[in-house]
Amino acid sequence: QVQLVESGGGLVQPGGSLRLSCATSGFTLDYYAIGWFRQAPGKEREGVSCISRVDGRTDENTYYADSVKGRFNMFGDNAKNTVYLHMNNLTPEDTAVYYCAAQPSIGSSCPREYGYWGQGTQVTVSS
């Protein structure tokens, strides 16, 4: 049974940092793409970052939305079956529920659709 469980959200001041975790089970992380998404109140869900294949070649396989590029860092720990999203220099515009999602890898690109989703974790950036 595929499961994804996010954790690490919370309240942080502007300019602060948070590290989100996505603990996975029920599948082999090496052969899957993992994506981070977020949804703010009243807005559509948007993609934040993804790893097209969690096989350790993070630099080659990781992509970021322009809005977070240079501030967010996504990486996986296959031994722990966990994928992380380290978020730096947070702004109020980053406030949202953050979700991780999984889909069998299609190679060097990230999937358009994901079949497995976590329950989400709230990130609030406010002074």
Side-chain angles (χ1 to χ4, degrees), residues 62-85:
T62 309
Y63 304 90
Y64 299 93
D66 288 343
S67 58
V68 306
K69 201 171 293 182
R71 300 188 298 122
F72 289 14
N73 181 34
M74 180 180 179
F75 56 98
D77 185 334
N78 295 66
K80 295 183 178 180
N81 294 319
T82 301
V83 178
Y84 302 94
L85 182 67

Side-chain angles (χ1 to χ4, degrees), residues 38-46 95-97 99 122:
R38 66 185 181 186
Q39 187 165 21
K43 294 187 177 181
E44 292 188 356
R45 186 176 64 198
E46 65 170 337
T95 295
V97 178
Y99 301 89
Q122 176 71 47

Side-chain angles (χ1 to χ4, degrees), residues 1 7 11-12 18 27 29 34 39 47 50 63 71 86 89 95 111 120 126:
Q1 180 181 359
S7 61
L11 174 64
V12 62
L18 279 176
F27 62 97
L29 192 56
I34 302 294
Q39 187 165 21
C50 70
Y63 304 90
R71 300 188 298 122
H86 199 143
N89 195 20
T95 295
S126 175

Side-chain angles (χ1 to χ4, degrees), residues 75-123:
F75 56 98
D77 185 334
N78 295 66
K80 295 183 178 180
N81 294 319
T82 301
V83 178
Y84 302 94
L85 182 67
H86 199 143
M87 308 185 293
N88 299 308
N89 195 20
L90 287 161
T91 73
E93 288 69 36
D94 295 315
T95 295
V97 178
Y98 284 71
Y99 301 89
C100 63
Q103 181 69 14
S105 177
I106 58 172
S108 60
S109 300
C110 289
R112 291 177 177 266
E113 301 289 339
Y114 289 78
Y116 306 99
W117 292 81
Q119 83 289 349
T121 186
Q122 176 71 47
V123 171

